Each structure stands twice: as C-alpha cells, then as structure tokens.
C-alpha cells in the first residue's frame, strides 16, 4: 500500500473514503449466495474508495492509477453475484454511483451515465412514454453500467431477449486506464468487447440503449395444480406475441412457501406464475392460464404496481423482486443451506427437459423458470434453488443436469474465463490490451 499516500495526494478534491466500514461495504457484492465464493472472497478488501462526479474526474483517476500502477476495481450498485466487483488484490475501488444523469433522450433511444440505476432511468423515462426494454430484478440498486459489464437478462427478456443479443446495447463510451486516458466510443457489435467483461476492459462512462414504448404493467399471480401445467402456460403465454408482457416467471410448488408474504398468496402445494402483462390485455392472459388449469389468486393494477416499484408503496413491493435471482435471496433468508445454479433449456425441447429435471432430484433441486424470447423462439432458463451439501455434490448435480440436456453456466466462480455460456464471444482479451495496457483493472478476473 506504499502507493496510497501519493495516490490520495494526487486525487485531492475528489470524494475519497478509506475508513474500514466503507472499505468493507464497497468491497463486497452478493458472492455469498455461493458457499464456494464465500470461502474465497470474504476477506478481500480494497484500499481506498473514490467516487467521481463526472467523466473528467474518472479520467483524472484513470491517469493517477496508471501512473502509480495501482489496481482498480469498478463498482456500480455492487449487486453482482460472482464477486465481480470484489477487489481480489486491493487497490482503488471506483464507485460510479454519482455519474447518474440522463445524457440524451430521443424517441426509441436513450443515453445514460453508467452509474444511473435502472429504476431511476425508468422513472425519468415514464413521463415521456418510454421505458427500458429489460432490467434485472435488482432494478432498484443495479446501475446500467454494471448491468452491461456484469448482467445478462431480466424482466422484459420475455419480449426483448438478452443483453448479448444484437442491438440490445447500441453504444458505450469507455475511459481507458492509461497515463493519458482516452474516451473510446464502441458501437454496433464492438460493444461486445465490454459486455459481461466484469470491468476488466476500461471504465464504461455512458451507455446508449434502445427503448420500448411504455406500457401499463399489471401484476398477477396465477396458480396451477402442477409445475408441468404452469410451465406449459409460461410457454404458451410467452409465445402469444400479440399480448404485451414484461415478466413470465414460473415456480415449483415447493418454492412459494420460501417467498415470505408473497408466497402466502399461493395455496399450499400449488405451482405458481408471476406475470407482468399489459393491463388492457390481462384478460387474454387469464384465458390462456385457464387452458392450463390456472387460477388468478392475486392481481394488482398498473398504477398500484408502478407505485410499489417507484415509491415503495404497498404491502408486497414489486413482484419482479421475487423472480430471477431474487428468488434465491428470499429462500436464503429462510434456509442458509440454499444456493443456486444457472441453467438454460434449449428451445427445441425445453419443457421436456424441464420435466426430466423436475422429476430427477427430489427436494435437492427446485426449479423456477424465467421465460424468454430470443431470435424468434421462446424458451426458459432457470436459477434453481439447490440445497448445498458439499462442493463435490454440487459439481455432480451440474454434470447430471447437463446429461439431462440442460446447459449450466457455473455461478460458483469469480473467473470470467469460467463463466460458461454467459461468456461473450468477442475479442475481450485483445481489447483489454488497448483499454488497460498495464493490466490494472479487476486483476485475477480474466485469467487468459
Ligand atoms: P456491480 O455488481 O457493481 O458490477 C458488476 C460488474 O460490472 C463488476 O465486474 C464491475 O467491476 C463491473 N462494472 C460496474 N460498473 C462498471 C462500469 N461503469 N464500467 C466497467 N465495469 C463496470 N442479473 C441479471 O442479469 N438479471 C437479474 O434478474 C438479476 N437478478 C439478481 C437478483 C439478486 C437478488 C442479485 C443479488 C443479483 C441479481 N443479478 C441479476 C445480478 C446483478 O444484480 C446484475 O447483473 C446487475 O445488473 C449488476 O449491476 P451493478 O450496478 O450492481 O453492478
């Protein structure tokens, strides 16, 4: 830490913190969902937190970091799951939270500073009649820069696919970590050089994304006698292109009891679906549910649902905060032995494989499905709840899932190279040589 006094002196005038409580807080993310990562990352700490207010300050920090050869870890909301924002080798933590402005807004397209949260962006877009196409269930805390660098999909993916799909991110501005930092604009498929790259390839300072026309999203919980019927509904409803929808999440009957107050809305032993559907078309959704023996047990109009999300009003909070990896968070609160996996089902026979997996593992693996539309086809992925016993058993479960025809992306590793199907097929190591020539960014995350 010999470099620290010189670095802090050079950064005079910027917002800096190095007290132990802030260092601990800003050195963590949600790696503790994984018992393996918990063992490996619990004690990692940065040496100093710097919070720039604008791009000029980011460039100043980048120059000082390059000159002093300090390590640097970029941080958005710190909601990543694989220790992505955890500094493995100490150094500077660059907290992007104060770069939170809407830079420009045109019909169908918006440019945002990287530290803006997805919720605040949607609040700014709502009066103009636009919305983000999709956001993670951590919408409230997750920044758009952190989503691009660390995320994948979320509420809205049932209509708009995933971040790595062509056109999902139109452009990013990236500050390089050099003695004389540059701002590089990546557009079109070049964006993939920083997509899901865990912040090893320059500091993203702004993000341009396509927008969707805003809808009034009603929320519903529908219950079904079995997971098989609920999954068949999820598929049929997501395939119903004429109905605007934002979320289609399906739960094994054993999961709702782990979801606190919202779980209590589901009668015992029933499978469930949480759905966000365009309010005027909600009746059409209910008809499709009826064809699969589904009954609506909870509904909330769009106004109330928006006020739950935007203002935190109401008893339940927004229902998307029970889906995607929020399901694991709720389950972990009640059972610390729970962990999770990331599983994708091929569109050709996704429901067949879902049924195979559901009947294979008993209580050890419990499925919740997130339906998605990609490249004109509907399929689902899952973040199954897994009861952890040993590392060996966890890897056996992964092997068995793959043998049953599912694809697993291992969330129990902090190394980008091991990220399985979530890795982006782009020249990311080559771009690192340009954006981070001294290899100071998030060291240890990109092994190759
Ligand atoms: P951080 O955790 O701060 O950072 C993530 C990575 O991006 C780190 O490697 C960091 O170094 C890098 N980074 C951050 N900002 C920048 C920047 N400006 N420039 C360069 N690199 C940067 N993910 C999903 O995709 N979908 C979900 O639905 C979802 N649900 C979740 C639910 C829960 C309960 C939890 C804990 C996590 C969930 N996640 C989900 C993971 C995570 O919330 C998202 O990926 C989120 O978008 C990360 O944003 P963040 O701002 O918190 O990023």
């Amino acid at each position: 830490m010999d470099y620290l006094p010189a670095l802090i002196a050079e950064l005079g005038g910027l917002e800096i913190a190095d007290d132990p409580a802030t260092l601990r807080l800003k050195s963590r993310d949600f790696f503790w969902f994984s018992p393996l990562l918990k063992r490996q990352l619990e004690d990692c700490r940065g040496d100093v937190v710097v919070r720039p207010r604008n791009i000029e300050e980011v460039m100043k920090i980048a120059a000082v970091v390059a000159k002093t050869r300090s390590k640097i870890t970029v941080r958005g909301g710190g909601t990543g799951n694989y220790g992505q924002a955890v500094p493995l080798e100490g150094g500077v933590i660059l907290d992007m939270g104060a770069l939170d402005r809407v830079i420009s807004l045109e019909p169908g397209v918006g440019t945002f500073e990287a530290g803006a949260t997805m919720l605040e962006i949607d609040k700014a877009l709502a009066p103009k009649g636009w919305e983000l196409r999709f956001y993670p269930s951590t919408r409230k805390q997750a920044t758009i820069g952190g989503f691009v660098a660390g995320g994948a999909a979320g509420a809205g993916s049932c209509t708009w696919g995933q971040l790595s799909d062509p056109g999902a991110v139109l452009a990013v501005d990236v500050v390089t970590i050099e003695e004389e930092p540059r701002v590089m604009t990546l557009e079109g498929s070049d964006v993939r050089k920083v997509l899901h790259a865990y912040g090893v390839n320059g500091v993203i300072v702004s993000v341009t994304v396509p927008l969707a026309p805003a809808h009034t999203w009603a929320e519903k919980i529908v219950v079904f006698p079995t997971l098989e019927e609920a999954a068949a509904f999820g598929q049929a409803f997501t395939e119903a292109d004429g109905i605007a929808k934002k979320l289609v999440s399906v739960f094994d009957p054993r999961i709702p009891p782990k979801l606190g107050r919202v779980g209590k809305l589901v009668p015992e032993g029933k499978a469930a679906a949480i759905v966000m559907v365009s309010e005027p078309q909600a009746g059409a959704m209910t008809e499709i549910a009826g064809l699969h023996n589904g009954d609506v047990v909870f509904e909330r109009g769009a106004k109330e649902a928006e006020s739950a999300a935007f203002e935190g009003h109401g008893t339940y909070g927004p229902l998307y905060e029970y889906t995607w990896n929020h399901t694991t968070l709720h389950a972990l609160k009640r059972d610390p032995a729970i962990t999770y996996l990331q599983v994708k089902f091929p569109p050709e026979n996704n429901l067949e494989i879902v049924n195979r997996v559901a009947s294979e593992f008993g209580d050890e693996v419990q499925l919740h499905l997130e339906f998605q539309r990609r490249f004109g086809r509907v399929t689902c992925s899952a973040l199954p709840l897994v009861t952890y016993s040993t590392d060996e058993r966890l890897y056996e479960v992964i092997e068995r899932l793959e043998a049953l025809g599912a694809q697993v992306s291992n969330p129990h590793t902090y190394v980008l190279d091991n990220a399985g199907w979530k890795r982006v097929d782009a020249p990311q190591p080559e771009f690192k040589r340009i954006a981070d020539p001294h290899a100071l960014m998030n060291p240890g995350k990109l092994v190759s």
Side-chain angles (χ1 to χ4, degrees):
M1 286 202 276
D2 300 346
Y3 71 95
L4 258 189
L7 181 124
I8 291 177
E10 289 228 34
L11 292 179
L14 269 67
E15 195 182 323
I16 294 183
D18 61 356
D19 60 284
T22 307
L23 288 180
R24 181 177 190 277
L25 184 73
K26 299 285 180 176
S27 296
R28 295 173 70 78
D29 62 12
F30 285 73
F31 63 80
W32 51 269
F33 279 21
S34 157
L36 285 72
L37 293 180
K38 200 168 176 207
R39 286 199 298 267
Q40 295 166 38
L41 301 178
E42 190 66 43
D43 297 327
C44 294
R45 293 284 181 282
D47 301 321
V48 62
V49 180
V50 191
R51 190 173 159 90
R53 285 160 296 202
N54 50 47
I55 295 177
E56 291 70 34
E57 289 191 355
V58 174
M59 294 180 83
K60 183 172 175 183
I61 298 162
V64 174
V65 162
K67 272 187 232 152
T68 54
R69 298 288 195 268
S70 317
K71 312 291 185 202
I72 180 166
T73 301
V74 192
R75 183 182 180 85
T79 66
N81 281 122
Y82 333 115
Q84 292 146 298
V86 173
L88 296 176
E89 299 182 13
V92 175
I93 296 166
L94 185 70
D95 178 348
M96 295 295 287
L99 266 84
D100 60 355
R101 287 180 316 124
V102 175
I103 297 174
S104 69
L105 190 53
E106 306 283 337
V109 61
T111 301
F112 310 98
E113 283 189 338
T117 64
M118 315 284 280
L119 182 69
E120 289 303 322
I121 291 174
D122 265 340
K123 280 189 193 174
L125 295 178
K128 318 263 185 213
W130 295 98
E131 63 182 35
L132 289 169
R133 285 181 165 190
F134 51 90
Y135 50 78
S137 61
T138 45
R139 183 190 195 191
K140 191 154 95 186
Q141 302 86 5
T143 62
I144 193 157
F147 189 45
V148 167
S157 291
C158 56
T159 302
W160 297 107
Q162 298 207 353
L163 263 180
S164 57
D165 294 347
V169 182
L170 298 174
V172 288
D173 277 357
V174 176
V175 169
T176 61
I177 305 290
E178 299 176 282
E179 288 80 349
E180 292 185 16
R182 294 167 288 161
V183 182
M184 299 180 70
T185 300
L186 303 177
E187 291 175 313
S189 59
D190 273 348
V191 165
R192 296 161 67 85
K193 292 172 181 168
V194 296
L195 213 64
H196 208 71
Y198 293 9
V200 299
N201 280 351
V203 182
I204 300 169
V205 287
S206 71
V207 178
T208 302
V209 286
L211 305 172
H215 279 272
T216 48
W217 298 117
E219 294 174 325
K220 308 264 175 185
I221 300 178
V222 194
V223 300
F224 299 85
T226 62
L227 175 64
E228 193 170 350
E229 284 158 302
F233 156 76
Q235 183 79 16
F237 175 51
T238 312
E239 283 173 355
D241 289 335
I243 305 177
K245 59 190 80 70
K246 192 86 178 185
L247 184 69
V248 188
S249 305
V250 161
F251 300 82
D252 176 296
R254 292 164 295 186
I255 293 184
K258 301 177 174 72
L259 299 182
R261 258 182 286 188
V262 160
K264 290 197 171 66
L265 300 167
V266 177
E268 208 186 317
K270 296 273 190 186
I274 291 182
V275 164
M276 288 168 72
V277 56
S278 172
E279 189 154 38
Q281 294 184 297
M285 186 283 297
T286 306
E287 277 180 34
I288 296 176
L291 298 176
H292 298 274
N293 301 320
D295 293 316
V296 174
V297 292
F298 175 79
E299 47 197 331
R300 186 156 62 178
K303 232 181 174 162
E304 245 188 300
E306 187 179 271
S307 124
F310 283 8
E311 321 297 342
H313 292 157
T315 316
Y316 298 110
L319 292 193
Y320 59 77
E321 286 187 0
Y322 292 84
T323 67
W324 292 84
N325 225 2
H326 264 83
T327 312
T328 316
L329 181 65
H330 291 286
L332 258 169
K333 278 187 201 159
R334 286 158 187 90
D335 180 357
I338 295 275
T339 187
Y340 75 110
L341 287 169
Q342 297 170 153
V343 180
K344 201 163 79 171
F345 300 95
E348 303 76 52
N349 55 348
N350 60 321
L351 294 188
E352 192 188 314
I353 299 176
V354 163
N355 290 334
R356 268 189 233 157
V357 170
S359 54
E360 170 88 8
F361 290 100
D363 284 346
E364 189 182 20
V365 176
Q366 300 180 15
L367 287 175
H368 61 106
L369 310 172
E370 305 298 343
F371 280 85
Q372 295 167 47
R373 170 173 289 285
R374 295 191 74 195
F375 301 99
R377 304 181 79 174
V378 169
T379 188
C380 50
S381 59
L383 295 153
L385 303 181
V386 178
T387 303
Y388 174 80
S389 51
T390 62
D391 295 3
E392 293 68 30
R393 177 59 192 154
L394 191 62
Y395 285 107
E396 269 172 29
V397 169
I398 292 176
E399 261 178 45
R400 188 64 197 135
L401 283 166
E402 288 181 330
L404 291 169
Q407 292 166 274
V408 181
S409 169
N410 179 11
H412 301 279
T413 170
Y414 58 77
V415 178
L416 177 59
D417 312 56
N418 298 345
W421 51 262
K422 283 204 172 176
R423 282 200 69 194
V424 170
D425 184 18
Q428 293 189 335
E430 288 80 348
F431 187 64
K432 184 170 177 67
R433 286 185 204 109
I434 296 167
D436 180 26
H438 306 301
L440 301 171
M441 299 195 75
N442 224 341
K445 300 280 165 46
L446 183 65
V447 174
S448 64

